[in-house]
Amino acid sequence: MSSSTAFFFFLVNVSLLFTLSSAADPFVSYNFEVSYITASPLGVPQQVIAINNKFPGPTINVTTNNNVAVNVRNKLDESLLIHWSGIQQRRSSWQDGVLGTNCPIPSKWNWTYQFQVKDQIGSFFYFPSLHLQRAAGGFGGFIINNRPIISLPFDTPYGDIVLFIGDWYTRNHTDMRKALDDGKDLGMPDGVLINGKGPYRYNDTLVPDGIDYETIEVHPGKTYRLRVHNVGVSTSLNFRIQSHNLLLAETEGSYTVQQNYTSLDIHVGQSYSFLVTTDQNASSDYYIVASARFVNESRWQKVTGVAILRYTNSKGKAHGPLPPAPDDQFDKTYSMNQARSIRWNVSASGARPNPQGSFRYGSINVTEIYVLKNKLPEKINGKRRATVSGISFVNPSTPIRLADQYKLKGVYNLNFPTKPITGSPRAETSIINGTYRGFMEVILQNNDTKMHTYHMSGYAFFVVGMDFGDWSENSRGTYNKWDGIARTTAQVYPGAWTAILVSLDNVGVWNLRTENLDSWYLGQETYVRVVNPEVTNKTELPIPDNALFCGALSKLQKPQVIASAASPINGNTLKLFFTWLIVCAWIHVFQ
C-alpha cells in the first residue's frame, strides 16, 4: 500500500471515529457577547453587565457528556473571565475560568471555552470571576439534563423554571472595588433581586412605585422544577413561595432525599432544585420571597426580593402580608438543623446508571487533612485583607496551571499550612499540594462574625458534618458517613465549622474559596494542585490551542490566536473539516 493510500484510509478512519463519537457526545455551541447596559432593577438607573443584551444572561441547557463550546466576546472596558461554577471540568482545568488557571480575556477580545460536561447532571450557574464583576451581573443558568437512558428519581416536571436571587447594590462594581481597596466595608445592600428585577409592590411604604418585578406564570394542577441560585454578593437568603410547599429534589448535581420545606435558607453561591405543585386555588396570585437571614429584620425591611407566581386562571393580584420567614432572624441553630436535614439520595442514579450511594465515601481512608480557618479581615502591610489560615492569597501575574505547563519557577509556593499559622498573617501565593487519588478531609472553621460559603472547583465534595464551636478530633464522631450530601458549595456558620471529604481524582489546579465576593476579592481563597505523577499522563487534556498568555509568558501571545478563536468550533464545523480532508486525500490519491 502506498503512503498516499495509507494516508487516505487514516483520514477515513478518523472521520468515522469522529462521526461515531460525536453522535454519542454531541457538540452544543453558544455565543456570548458580554457588555454593559443601563438598567434600573431598583428604580435607579445603573450600569449592569449583560450577555447578549440580557440581564440575567441566557441559560445554557445541555445533556450529560455533551461537548460545550462558548465563544465569549468581551465588550467591557476591562478584562474578563467566565467561571462555570460547579462544572467539574473533568481532565480540563484549563477551562475553569479563574485566575489560577486562565489568563484574562482582554477588553475587545474573543475567546472560546471548550469543555465536556462529563458524568454530571444538575443545576449550576456561570458568572464573571474577576474584578467583583458578579456584583454587576453577567450571570446565567447552566442546566445539565440526564441522558434518556437514565430516568429521573421523580416524574418528569411539566416545566423548568430558573430563578436567580441575590442581594444587590445600586453602586457601580468599580466603586465597590474602590471601597474595598480603601479598607471599607460594602455596607448594607440596597435590595434583593429576583431574576434581575426588583420587588413587587407588596407594601406602598417600603417599595416605591414603578419598579419592574418578575412574574412566573404557571398552569394549575402541574408540577414544575424550580432551579434557584443565590448569585448575590454576601447575603444568605430565605426562599419561600406563599401557600406552596418546596419539595427539595437536587442540589448542585446531586439528587437529594425528597423532603418538603415551607422555606429554605440558600447561602451565597448555592443552588437548589425544588418540585413545586400548583395545587392551590386561583383566587389570587402568590408571593415568591427571598429575604435576608441573620440580620436586623426591621433595619432590612426594604431589602427583600418579591416576585409573583401567577396561575393562568388567576382571578386577582397577590395581597396581604408576605409569608413569614423563620421566627428568629438570628436563629442559626434552626438554619443549621435544616442544613443537616438535606441528605443524599443513595438509591437514585445520577449521571451514570448506578446508585449515587455506590460510592461509599465513609469507608475510604483519609490521606490528608487541612484545617482552614477564616477570621475577621486583618491589616497586612497596611492593607485590609481577608485570610484563610492566616494567609491572604495573592493572584500571580502568570496563572498557576500555565506556570506548571512551562515549568516556570517562583510563581507560587506549595507550602499552604495544614493548620492555621500562628503569629502575624501574611500575603502570598501559597497553595495546597493535593495527592492524586488521595482522599482529603477539609475542616472549614469560620471565626468571622458573618456567614461564609466555600466552593471548590473541579469536584463535588461530601458535606459530612457541621456544628458550633471549634472543631476537634472528637468531632469526627458526629460525621455522617453514609448519606451526606455531595455538592460544590457548603455554608459555614459564624462561630462554627463544616467538614467536607473530597476524592482527588481530577487532575488540575482547582480554586478553593469563599463565595462572599468581598472576602474573595480581599484574598480569602487558595488553590489545590493535583498532579498525576505517572510519566504517561493521560488524565488531563493538553493545553488548548487557543490558550491565552500573560505575565512571564506574555511574549508567547499572538494576536492571530485570538482571531482564530472568534468562531466557536461545533460538531458541524468539525464534520465539514474532516470531509474536506477526505476530499483532498481523494484528489491526492487519484492524481
Side-chain angles (χ1 to χ4, degrees), residues 29 161 293 332 358 397 517:
S29 61
I161 299 167
R293 290 287 274 142
K332 301 179 186 69
S358 61
S397 59
L517 290 188

Side-chain angles (χ1 to χ4, degrees), residues 344-362:
W344 209 29
N345 186 340
V346 296
S347 62
S349 294
R352 289 175 286 185
N354 54 289
Q356 290 183 151
S358 61
F359 185 81
R360 303 186 186 283
Y361 69 87

